[in-house]
């Protein structure tokens, strides 16, 4: 099952995306559906207004998530290209609701006098589907609602102003998410081919099985110190091939299109303006 949040009539609506039509569930976004009791059954039984797939205007999946938690240095191949050693604990940083944007929206780059060091980072996102704290073992996969595609567009000079690099990661409308939440069943392996292209040139190509800390380990670790709630987004990290690790460095130019693709999950396509 696939779920999405679409824009309509000045607002948004959650839809179940079938093969030939999108059906409204009666909720304002995917986050509201996930917070509404037995959301799987509710989504499967939804029979609201119908929309042609070709005309959908995708918003970000959860329009106002309580938490967006991102993981740095979490692919073995990316750790190798940075010349660092594998971490003993996940490296975490936050984003905000205003950092997120839709799967096909334009991404506004910083003004030229602010930064020209804008980089791509293809990432698997996992969305939380139940309220959990201090979960272990089988409880952790049961908390996963499903998977989505994210690009952690990064402003590298702001990222390295200090050792705390949130300022380079949380720029407004810089992080596309979607287009769908691909609903997961407990026990599903999160092993997906993942790639990023800039103007049709492949920049990243890997597999999510390269994750140093996988989805279960991340949920166990994060839920130790804070409660995870339906609609929370965990952005699991990026593989090798980022622009600032190249010699010479390569950054996104105004007018280029970034495509982020995870096989079996979906594709983002965002023009940078």
């Amino acid at each position: 099952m696939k779920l999405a949040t679409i824009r309509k009539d000045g607002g948004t609506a959650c839809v179940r995306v079938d093969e030939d039509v999108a059906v409204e569930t009666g909720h304002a976004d995917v986050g509201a559906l996930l917070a509404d009791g037995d959301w799987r059954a509710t989504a499967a039984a939804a029979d609201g207004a119908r929309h042609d797939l070709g005309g959908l205007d995708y918003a970000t999946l959860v329009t106002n998530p309580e938490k967006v938690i991102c993981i740095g240095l979490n692919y073995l191949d990316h750790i190798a290209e940075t010349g660092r050693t594998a971490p003993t604990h996940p490296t975490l940083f936050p984003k905000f609701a205003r950092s997120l944007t839709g799967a096909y929206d334009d991404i506004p780059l910083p003004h030229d006098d602010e930064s020209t060091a804008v980089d791509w980072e293809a990432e698997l996102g996992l969305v939380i589907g139940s309220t959990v704290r201090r979960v272990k073992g089988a409880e952790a996969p049961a908390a996963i609602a499903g998977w989505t595609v994210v690009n952690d567009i990064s402003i590298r000079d702001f990222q390295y102003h200090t050792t705390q690099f949130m300022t380079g990661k949380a720029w407004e409308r810089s992080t596309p998410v979607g287009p769908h939440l691909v609903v997961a069943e407990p026990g599903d392996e999160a092993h997906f081919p993942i790639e990023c292209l800039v103007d049709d040139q492949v920049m990243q190509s890997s597999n999510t099985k390269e994750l140093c800390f996988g989805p279960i380990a991340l949920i166990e670790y994060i839920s130790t110190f804070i409660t995870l709630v339906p609609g929370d987004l965990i952005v699991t990290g990026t593989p090798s091939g980022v622009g600032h690790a190249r010699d010479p460095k390569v950054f996104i130019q105004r007018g280029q299109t970034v495509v982020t693709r995870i096989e079996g999950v979906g594709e983002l396509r965002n023009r940078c303006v």
Side-chain angles (χ1 to χ4, degrees), residues 247-269:
D247 187 14
K249 299 179 188 299
V250 180
F251 295 118
I252 298 169
Q253 303 300 308
R254 210 173 301 278
Q256 290 187 312
T257 297
V258 177
V259 175
T260 316
R261 185 179 297 141
I262 301 179
E263 187 175 312
V265 180
E267 178 181 292
L268 310 172
R269 183 175 293 270

Side-chain angles (χ1 to χ4, degrees), residues 69-74 90-93 121 123 152 213 218 222 234-238:
I69 300 176
C70 305
I71 319 302
L73 291 174
N74 198 31
T91 300
L92 308 182
F93 60 91
E121 292 197 5
E123 310 211 12
D152 175 24
F213 301 100
L218 293 175
I222 295 168
I234 298 175
V235 186
T236 59
T238 200

Side-chain angles (χ1 to χ4, degrees), residues 114-128:
E114 295 169 340
S115 176
T116 56
V118 182
D119 207 347
W120 53 84
E121 292 197 5
E123 310 211 12
L124 174 69
L126 71 89
V127 180
I128 297 297

Side-chain angles (χ1 to χ4, degrees), residues 22 27 31 36 42 141 145 155 160 173 227 256 261 272:
H27 303 81
D36 186 14
T42 299
I155 317 304
Y160 295 117
R173 295 167 54 203
T227 299
Q256 290 187 312
R261 185 179 297 141
C272 298

Side-chain angles (χ1 to χ4, degrees), residues 82-93:
T82 64
R84 305 189 188 188
T85 57
T88 57
H89 298 86
T91 300
L92 308 182
F93 60 91

